Amino acid sequence: WSLSGLARDLKGLLDALGIARAHLVGDTLGGAVCLQFANDYPERVTGLVLCTAPYSFAERGGHYEALARGIEARGMEAYVRSSMDHRLEAHKTDPAYSEWYAREMSRTPARVAAGIYRSLAGVDLSPLLAGVRAPALVLVGDSSTSLPLEQARRLRRLLPNARLKVFKGEAGYIQHAIPERCARTA
């Protein structure tokens, strides 16, 4: 597993679908994949929307190994349910949506999630970002723990053609918590 490999898989999907160029929307890890893709295949990207998307995993390398071990030991569903508050703010999220989200995330095979987490340890896309020329919109909540506001501001500075939209009073994955507001951001 690697971000480059996942970007290559995305290229293969676009090729199979006959899509020469695309505007990519990536949330969380998907945003990191989009950044890698935009670096590796710049001619294929018309724009990016990055929702609560980390770009550096270097500072928390041991964290990802611990997540991988926890998933392997307890299973994917236990991991997902134990991390729901980090993802979806319970007091702001419809319980039916939270349950759907947990079930869908739990469908990911544990070996896949553990492998991807292990591959992230030490990865830092920062040196690549100056070469990403596609217009980018970075979306983040002002209280995000996945992409703290200062890191989101740094991402905007590192990407030559980026804008940053900060949603006040939001801490979780904003693309799930306030999808309509995210979609209206232009």
Side-chain angles (χ1 to χ4, degrees):
W1 300 104
S2 68
L3 289 176
S4 293
L6 293 169
R8 207 169 28 259
D9 289 346
L10 176 55
K11 179 186 177 295
L13 174 64
L14 293 175
D15 290 346
L17 295 172
I19 299 172
R21 299 185 73 212
H23 187 93
L24 302 176
V25 178
D27 70 339
T28 62
L29 177 60
V33 173
C34 289
L35 288 168
Q36 183 73 55
F37 185 90
N39 177 76
D40 296 352
Y41 309 101
E43 71 284 357
R44 305 289 301 263
V45 180
T46 59
L48 299 166
V49 176
L50 308 165
C51 304
T52 318
Y55 56 93
S56 178
F57 307 88
E59 296 174 9
R60 299 177 61 190
H63 171 73
Y64 297 103
E65 178 60 31
L67 288 175
R69 284 191 201 145
I71 290 168
E72 290 168 337
R74 297 181 6 232
M76 193 63 186
E77 184 171 1
Y79 162 68
V80 169
R81 292 194 183 277
S82 71
S83 61
M84 285 296 285
D85 285 341
H86 167 75
R87 300 166 193 278
L88 304 175
E89 296 177 80
H91 66 283
K92 293 183 179 182
T93 306
D94 180 333
Y97 181 80
S98 293
E99 183 57 31
W100 172 85
Y101 181 89
R103 281 194 318 268
E104 289 300 307
M105 286 288 296
S106 296
R107 294 175 59 185
T108 304
R111 67 174 176 73
V112 171
I116 289 174
Y117 276 135
R118 283 193 175 99
S119 77
L120 294 175
V123 171
D124 184 1
L125 296 177
S126 299
L128 307 178
L129 299 180
V132 173
R133 298 291 177 204
L137 175 60
V138 178
L139 304 177
V140 68
D142 65 350
S143 301
S144 173
T145 56
S146 296
L147 182 65
L149 187 52
E150 189 47 47
Q151 287 181 21
R153 288 180 175 136
R154 183 170 182 254
L155 177 58
R156 186 202 37 85
R157 288 190 305 270
L158 290 169
L159 289 167
N161 296 310
R163 291 185 305 123
L164 174 65
K165 171 63 177 168
V166 178
F167 293 92
K168 302 274 186 233
E170 298 297 331
Y173 291 1
I174 56 169
Q175 61 276 15
H176 296 285
I178 53 169
E180 295 85 8
R181 286 176 56 202
C182 289
R184 284 193 305 266
T185 301

